[in-house]
Structures are given as C-alpha cells and as structure tokens.
Amino acid sequence: MPADSPAPPVSNWISDLALAVVFLTRLPLRLTGPLAEDAHARAMGWFPLVGAGVGLFGGAVHGLAALAHLPPLPAALLALGAMVWLTGALHEDGAADVADGFGGGRDKARKLEIMRDSRVGSYGVLAIVFSVAVRASALAALAEPRVVIPALLASGALSRGGMAVIARFMGPARADGLAARQGRPSPGTVVLSLVLALGMAVAALKGLAPTAVLGAILAAALAVLAVAWQARRQIGGHTGDVFGAAQQVAEAAILLTLAATVA
C-alpha cells in the first residue's frame, strides 16, 4: 500500500495502535506477522493516544506522590521520571541530539553526523536539563493533582499530534535514517492524529477556562512549527530526533502556558 493511500480500514487500527505503543514506549507488546510497508507511517496517527496514556501514567504517579504529602516540586519530578521511564527517554534523547547537532555542526553533513553520534555533548546535556526543569517547574506551579493530571494527559496528546504533520509536509533530512524508513503518512493519518490530539486535550482540560485550553493548543502548534522551521533551516528536513525535539518543546510550551493561565 503506498504511503499516500487513504487511511487504513478499521480492521488494521488495532495493529497500528499496537505498533505506536511499541514505537513510543517500552511496554513489552509483541507484534505478530510481517509489517506492511507503510505500517510505521500509519501508526503515527495513533501517537496522540499513546501520548495521552504516557501523560496519564505520569499523572497517576503525581497523584500518589500528593497522597504521600510530597511537596509540588518532588511530586512533579517523580511524574516526569515515570514518563521518562515509560518512554525509555526516547524524546529526551532526540532533543539532546538535535541540540548537539544544531548547536555544534557547521554544515548539514556535520550536523547530521553529530546527531547520529551516541555521545551527548554540552548542548544536549543543557537541553535535557532545561526540558526537565521547565516542565517540572510548570507542574509544580499547577500543584494540585486535579489540574496536573489533565495537564499531563493533554500535553502528552498534543505534543505528539504534530509528528504526523511534520512527516507529511517535510521530507526526511537523510535517505537512510529512521524517519525515511517510516515513510510519509497519508492525509487520513494526519487528520486522525490531529483529531485525537485536539479531542483528548479539550476533553481533559474541559474544567479549565476556554482561554487556557486555546492557549495550550496554540502553544503546541507554535512549538511544533518552530522546531520544524529550524529543522528545515538547519538540515533541510526531519529526522527521528527532530520528532523528539518537537515533542519536548511542545510539551514544555503547553505546561508553561497552563501554568501561566491556571496557577
């Protein structure tokens, strides 16, 4: 099935969702049978749903920490730690590689070489530190589990909703990378991703002021666009690391926006 074909039939949705879970988390799901050529591209439509689950897991840990009477900042750090464990630091690793590549490379070839290097440089370390610090401080400002849990669920969904958009409208930066092998998602997959991201975010944040909900959505969109623009400018396309950086920047932007409008 070509990558630009219509969205998959209902019978394939379960396998696509399972692949999305395997790709974005360390949950030990087993996939049966060979994967279709466009399986990874189709799975991107379900990324927001998996992201919401990751956020909900972090929210549950935050709730338990609050029940144990931990202060807001330690509770926030434990929630983030739980999410990092569940995802295997997939997105944090991508953000660090992008920071190292964009910050330390002189040209496209060198930037891509640095991004592929398993070692983490000073830019990458600082990217991870700032990502955790910004998100933890925003969650600490929100403080109450009744706000933190929906905020994590919404940010988990919204921050992963833009990945399919980037993959659809921007070509891969290298021909042999993971992003290139994933393929280009169909318009139906992009629509599914956006509908899931927006629907779950609105449902999770329905108890907040409309301005807070709209602000969170706008913050996510601007963050993803900013990362995509930098990727096009720096390396001429996207990579798997760019997806991770987009997720991290978007999640931080969403949580900061909610902290500014709710706390």
Side-chain angles (χ1 to χ4, degrees), residues 17 30 43 54 58 67-68 82-83 97 99 104 108 112 114 128 132 156 161 186 189 196 200 226 239 241 262-263:
L17 175 57
R30 291 185 177 273
V54 172
L67 286 175
M83 291 160 59
D97 288 342
K108 174 183 176 179
L112 289 172
I114 293 173
I128 294 174
V132 172
S186 69
T189 297
L196 284 175
M200 286 186 291
T239 66
D241 290 331
V262 176

Coordinates of all heavy atoms in Angstrom, one line a residue, residues 17 30 43 54 58 67-68 82-83 97 99 104 108 112 114 128 132 156 161 186 189 196 200 226 239 241 262-263:
L17 N -2.2 0.8 16.2 CA -2.1 1.3 17.6 C -1.1 0.5 18.4 O -0.3 1.1 19.1 CB -3.5 1.2 18.3 CG -3.5 1.6 19.8 CD1 -3.0 3.0 20.0 CD2 -4.9 1.5 20.3
R30 N 4.0 -7.6 21.8 CA 4.6 -8.4 20.7 C 3.7 -8.2 19.5 O 2.5 -8.4 19.5 CB 4.7 -9.9 21.1 CG 5.7 -10.2 22.2 CD 5.8 -11.7 22.5 NE 6.8 -12.0 23.4 CZ 8.1 -12.2 23.1 NH1 8.5 -12.1 21.9 NH2 9.0 -12.5 24.1
A43 N 1.0 4.2 11.8 CA 1.0 4.2 13.3 C 1.1 5.6 13.9 O 0.6 5.9 15.0 CB 2.1 3.3 13.8
V54 N 0.8 8.0 28.2 CA 2.0 8.3 28.9 C 1.8 9.4 30.0 O 2.2 9.3 31.1 CB 3.1 8.7 27.9 CG1 4.3 9.2 28.7 CG2 3.5 7.5 27.1
G58 N 2.1 9.4 34.1 CA 2.8 10.4 34.9 C 1.8 11.1 35.9 O 2.2 11.3 37.1
L67 N -0.7 12.2 47.5 CA -1.3 11.5 48.6 C -0.3 11.2 49.8 O -0.6 11.1 50.9 CB -1.9 10.1 48.2 CG -3.2 10.2 47.3 CD1 -3.6 8.8 46.8 CD2 -4.3 10.8 48.2
A68 N 1.0 11.1 49.3 CA 2.1 10.9 50.3 C 2.5 12.2 50.9 O 3.5 12.2 51.7 CB 3.2 10.1 49.7
A82 N 8.6 9.1 35.9 CA 7.8 7.9 35.5 C 7.6 8.0 34.0 O 7.6 6.9 33.3 CB 6.5 8.0 36.2
M83 N 7.3 9.1 33.4 CA 7.1 9.2 32.0 C 8.4 8.9 31.2 O 8.3 8.3 30.1 CB 6.6 10.6 31.7 CG 5.2 10.9 32.2 SD 4.7 12.6 32.3 CE 4.9 13.2 30.7
D97 N 20.1 15.2 21.0 CA 20.8 15.0 19.7 C 20.6 16.2 18.8 O 21.5 16.7 18.1 CB 20.3 13.8 19.0 CG 20.9 12.5 19.7 OD1 21.8 12.6 20.4 OD2 20.3 11.4 19.4
A99 N 19.9 19.3 19.8 CA 20.6 20.4 20.4 C 22.1 20.3 20.1 O 22.8 21.3 19.7 CB 20.4 20.5 21.9
G104 N 26.3 22.4 17.4 CA 27.8 22.2 17.2 C 28.2 22.0 15.8 O 29.4 22.0 15.5
K108 N 25.2 21.0 7.1 CA 24.2 19.9 7.2 C 24.9 18.6 7.5 O 24.4 17.9 8.3 CB 23.4 19.9 5.9 CG 22.4 18.7 5.9 CD 21.6 18.6 4.6 CE 20.7 17.4 4.6 NZ 19.9 17.3 3.3
L112 N 24.2 16.4 10.9 CA 23.6 15.0 10.9 C 24.5 14.0 11.5 O 24.1 13.1 12.1 CB 23.2 14.7 9.4 CG 22.0 15.4 8.8 CD1 21.9 15.1 7.4 CD2 20.7 15.1 9.6
I114 N 26.7 14.6 13.9 CA 26.7 14.7 15.3 C 25.4 14.2 15.9 O 25.4 13.5 16.9 CB 26.8 16.2 15.7 CG1 28.2 16.8 15.3 CG2 26.5 16.5 17.2 CD1 28.3 18.3 15.5
I128 N 18.4 18.7 27.9 CA 17.7 17.8 28.8 C 17.5 18.5 30.2 O 16.4 18.4 30.7 CB 18.5 16.5 29.0 CG1 18.6 15.7 27.7 CG2 17.9 15.7 30.1 CD1 19.4 14.5 27.8
V132 N 13.6 19.3 31.5 CA 13.1 18.7 32.8 C 12.8 19.9 33.8 O 11.7 19.9 34.4 CB 14.1 17.8 33.4 CG1 13.7 17.4 34.9 CG2 14.3 16.5 32.6
G156 N 0.6 15.4 26.8 CA 1.1 14.2 26.2 C 0.5 13.9 24.8 O 1.1 13.5 23.9
G161 N 0.9 15.1 18.6 CA 0.0 15.3 17.4 C 0.6 15.9 16.2 O 0.1 15.7 15.1
S186 N -0.4 9.3 5.3 CA -1.4 9.8 4.4 C -2.2 10.9 5.0 O -2.1 11.2 6.2 CB -2.4 8.6 4.1 OG -3.1 8.3 5.3
T189 N -4.2 9.8 7.9 CA -3.4 9.6 9.1 C -3.2 10.9 9.9 O -3.3 11.0 11.1 CB -2.1 8.9 8.8 OG1 -2.3 7.6 8.2 CG2 -1.2 8.7 10.0
L196 N -7.4 13.2 17.2 CA -7.2 12.6 18.5 C -6.5 13.6 19.5 O -6.9 13.7 20.7 CB -6.3 11.4 18.4 CG -7.0 10.1 17.8 CD1 -6.0 9.0 17.6 CD2 -8.1 9.6 18.7
M200 N -8.7 14.8 22.7 CA -8.3 14.4 24.1 C -7.9 15.6 24.9 O -8.1 15.7 26.1 CB -7.2 13.4 24.0 CG -7.8 12.0 23.6 SD -6.5 10.7 23.6 CE -5.5 11.3 22.3
A226 N 7.9 25.9 15.2 CA 9.2 26.5 15.4 C 10.3 25.4 15.2 O 11.4 25.7 14.6 CB 9.3 27.1 16.8
T239 N 14.2 14.3 11.0 CA 14.7 13.0 11.4 C 13.9 12.5 12.6 O 13.1 13.3 13.1 CB 16.2 13.1 11.8 OG1 16.3 13.9 13.0 CG2 17.1 13.8 10.7
D241 N 15.1 12.3 15.5 CA 15.5 13.2 16.6 C 14.7 14.5 16.6 O 14.3 15.0 17.6 CB 17.0 13.5 16.5 CG 17.8 12.4 16.9 OD1 17.4 11.5 17.7 OD2 19.0 12.3 16.3
V262 N -3.5 29.2 34.6 CA -4.3 28.5 35.6 C -3.8 28.7 37.0 O -4.5 29.0 37.9 CB -4.3 27.0 35.3 CG1 -5.1 26.2 36.4 CG2 -5.0 26.7 33.9
A263 N -2.4 28.6 37.2 CA -1.9 28.7 38.5 C -2.0 30.0 39.1 O -2.1 31.0 38.5 CB -0.4 28.3 38.4

